[in-house]
Amino acid sequence: MRKYVIFIVLIAFFIFFQSTLFYENLNIRDVHPDFVIIILSIAAFLLGSMAGQIMGFATGLIIDVLSGGLLGISAFTYTVIGFGVGIVGGMIYGRNILISIIMLFFVTLAKGALLSLIAAIFLEPGYFGYFSQGRIFLEAVMNCLLTAPLFFIIMRVKRIVTE
Amino acid sequence: MSQARIARNRTILVLIFLLFVSFVLMGVSQSKITLRFKSIAYGILYPFQFVGVQSITLVKDFFSSIENNRQLNEELAQVKKLLEQYERSQYEYEEIKRENERLRSLIGVQSEMDYGTVIAEIVAKSPQDFYRTLVVNRGKSSGIEKFMPVVAYQNQAKCVVGKIVDVQQFSARIQPLIDQSSYIGAMLMDSRYSGILQGQSPISDVCLLQYIDRRAEIKYGDLVVTSGMGGVFPKGIVIGEIVSVSKKRYGVFQEALVQPLIDFGHIEDVYIITKAATESFDILEED
């Protein structure tokens, strides 16, 4: 139970962190890293697909409510990501930080593709440019760079809390 | 059936259920019930967001206070100089305004109403880059209503920020003009040709001005202002500058890209114009 609480607290913290105006300054060419997707992916990787998809759905729904956008779009996207990463985590032996980094690259691309596709269908077709224009690749690189320290911190905290 | 198989089937069933719920939510996203649910859910989450954001901002401000102190002293000196200039300009402005009203009454033109404003501070933003909504610390208790226009001052000019799309008791959410779902009636300030301005976020912070008459001569740097059509924004508020023009060899319209004057990465205070949307806009909303 404690390991679930760690991730819930971290996800809540980073949702609020990404809501601050200070977060706007953390960008390269107006592209920001997505801490929430990093924590969610690490959680799904370590805890499995069931926990991953439920956390993903709840996280996405909260983000949809706070963003005021299409309700359900992030819930759908993060549920798929939580499930997918959980399945991959179940197939891989050991918890290697390098695997997490590579995984985050593809997870970020998947997030961009899903958000763009759903928004293009349910809202304006122009939303697909979010993925096709390539900004998501820069975000993927930034997320990969942040994964290593975050993964290390989470593993240390998890070890301390569960011991 | 083995335990592992049962667990796998349960996981897939839960996945299908969650995806189904997400799809249904997306499908009925614009229904009154869903909008009401969103508003209530946001009302519940906002206090947590507010406390969380303020706590993080407090820690950040503590560490940046030393540099801020030096910057504030410099800004204070600049602001004092600007204030002296404004005081001189104010007298001239009052004279010109009086003359303008006198001339308008002579030729029988009804003078435009001045709208009241409520100053608000931006306390949070959308936690995801995909949407660019802003949250302010003024709500129903301050007389804020849905679809009220929002402006801010940039380089001493009053510029469009967006419009209110959701109101709680003590907070409100702004849809910025750069949002792809935002449409504003706009016109070129010099030639007065009108068009419709649509945001392009999350792809770009530059807006697209569409349906401009092909006869309009548009050049780089031309100012774009609100046209007053659409029932939300008063006429004549600055939106941005033309940064590129696209005129095809055929067709009756041309398009242009408009760079908003407001820097959405550094905006802190806004003014909500307490002008209710017109009747026609209310009817559209009810539909």
Side-chain angles (χ1 to χ4, degrees):
Chain A
M1 187 62 194
R2 273 182 283 188
K3 54 189 176 187
Y4 294 98
V5 170
I6 295 168
F7 287 109
I8 290 168
V9 167
L10 280 172
I11 287 172
F13 172 79
F14 281 112
I15 287 175
F16 297 142
F17 178 73
Q18 289 183 191
S19 298
T20 61
L21 300 181
F22 165 68
Y23 175 68
E24 279 292 313
N25 298 325
L26 298 178
N27 72 85
I28 297 173
R29 300 182 71 159
D30 290 332
V31 177
H32 304 88
D34 190 347
F35 292 93
V36 174
I37 202 76
I38 296 172
I39 302 298
L40 177 66
S41 300
I42 294 174
F45 190 61
L46 297 175
L47 301 175
S49 52
M50 179 66 101
Q53 67 190 2
I54 293 173
M55 273 192 209
F57 180 80
T59 302
L61 199 60
I62 289 171
I63 287 176
D64 284 335
V65 169
L66 291 176
S67 300
L70 179 64
L71 188 65
I73 185 173
S74 300
F76 180 92
T77 303
Y78 286 34
T79 302
V80 170
I81 287 172
F83 175 78
V85 172
I87 292 288
V88 168
M91 290 193 285
I92 293 170
Y93 178 72
R95 297 295 175 247
N96 191 318
I97 200 165
L98 186 61
I99 294 170
S100 301
I101 292 171
I102 296 168
M103 179 186 64
L104 245 306
F105 183 81
F106 292 105
V107 161
T108 309
L109 296 186
K111 177 197 97 166
L114 282 169
L115 283 175
S116 307
L117 186 63
I118 295 168
I121 294 168
F122 283 90
L123 297 170
E124 301 276 341
Y127 271 109
F128 196 70
Y130 177 65
F131 180 73
S132 63
Q133 217 185 30
R135 284 163 58 120
I136 196 72
F137 290 91
L138 179 55
E139 185 182 330
V141 170
M142 291 166 76
N143 287 349
C144 287
L145 292 172
L146 287 167
T147 299
L150 283 172
F151 188 89
F152 177 73
I153 292 167
I154 288 169
M155 291 306 279
R156 295 285 289 186
V157 169
K158 187 168 162 279
R159 197 180 305 162
I160 292 167
V161 168
T162 52
E163 271 173 6
Chain B
M1 202 181 277
S2 68
Q3 291 279 4
R5 203 182 173 95
I6 292 169
R8 194 169 54 237
N9 288 345
R10 193 165 56 211
T11 304
I12 291 172
L13 274 172
V14 170
L15 173 71
I16 292 169
F17 172 71
L18 292 175
L19 293 180
F20 175 73
V21 169
S22 304
F23 255 121
V24 167
L25 286 173
M26 282 189 271
V28 299
S29 188
Q30 295 305 311
S31 73
K32 278 190 176 163
I33 295 170
T34 315
L35 289 172
R36 190 83 192 112
F37 165 73
K38 260 170 72 169
S39 196
I40 293 170
Y42 184 69
I44 295 169
L45 285 172
Y46 173 70
F48 296 98
Q49 185 188 35
F50 182 79
V51 169
V53 166
Q54 293 304 307
S55 306
I56 294 168
T57 307
L58 201 66
V59 172
K60 171 244 161 194
D61 285 346
F62 176 77
F63 286 104
S64 60
S65 60
I66 297 167
E67 174 62 13
N68 281 351
N69 199 28
R70 188 188 64 77
Q71 281 176 355
L72 280 170
N73 281 330
E74 285 174 11
E75 277 175 29
L76 182 60
Q78 285 170 4
V79 166
K80 277 182 178 171
K81 275 188 199 162
L82 269 175
L83 186 59
E84 283 168 19
Q85 285 174 13
Y86 283 140
E87 280 170 355
R88 282 194 290 272
S89 302
Q90 179 70 15
Y91 177 73
E92 291 170 18
Y93 165 75
E94 290 295 336
E95 284 297 311
I96 294 169
K97 191 177 169 189
R98 268 194 288 274
E99 182 69 9
N100 183 270
E101 281 168 6
R102 190 184 70 80
L103 290 170
R104 278 175 175 270
S105 67
L106 278 176
I107 58 173
V109 171
Q110 196 175 14
S111 61
E112 289 179 22
M113 280 175 60
D114 280 335
Y115 298 106
T117 55
V118 172
I119 187 167
E121 187 188 344
I122 295 178
V123 295
K125 52 175 271 304
S126 164
Q128 193 180 76
D129 260 0
F130 204 68
Y131 294 106
R132 301 293 295 270
T133 51
L134 305 167
V135 180
V136 293
N137 59 352
R138 293 279 182 266
K140 287 179 190 168
S141 60
S142 303
I144 306 303
E145 292 173 9
K146 214 171 167 182
F147 304 122
M148 278 184 173
V150 182
V151 298
Y153 282 88
Q154 185 94 35
N155 300 331
Q156 301 164 41
K158 187 163 63 178
C159 307
V160 172
V161 172
K163 66 176 183 262
I164 301 290
V165 289
D166 187 38
V167 190
Q168 303 295 322
Q169 192 61 24
F170 300 107
S171 69
R173 196 153 41 195
I174 300 171
Q175 178 192 62
L177 72 110
I178 55 175
D179 189 286
Q180 203 157 140
S181 304
S182 166
Y183 292 87
I184 297 175
M187 65 180 177
L188 298 161
M189 195 171 86
D190 292 336
S191 62
R192 317 304 277 182
Y193 279 101
S194 62
I196 296 179
L197 190 90
Q198 183 191 9
Q200 301 291 293
S201 182
I203 301 159
S204 166
D205 282 357
V206 173
C207 300
L208 179 66
L209 185 58
Q210 308 169 81
Y211 308 115
I212 317 164
D213 194 302
R214 204 178 160 75
R215 292 170 294 179
E217 289 293 325
I218 312 174
K219 55 186 189 302
Y220 182 89
D222 278 352
L223 277 180
V224 177
V225 299
T226 52
S227 63
M229 289 188 255
V232 175
F233 291 92
K235 190 175 175 180
I237 303 177
V238 176
I239 295 173
E241 294 177 329
I242 299 285
V243 292
S244 83
V245 185
S246 170
K247 200 180 209 176
K248 293 189 176 69
R249 288 168 62 185
Y250 50 88
V252 296
F253 298 116
Q254 57 181 317
E255 295 179 343
L257 289 178
V258 178
Q259 177 67 53
L261 285 187
I262 289 290
D263 180 358
F264 284 93
H266 293 96
I267 190 171
E268 292 183 9
D269 297 302
V270 297
Y271 294 83
I272 303 170
I273 296 176
T274 50
K275 162 191 176 291
T278 57
E279 187 184 312
S280 58
F281 200 85
D282 286 338
I283 293 169
L284 202 66
E285 164 65 8
E286 279 173 16
D287 287 345

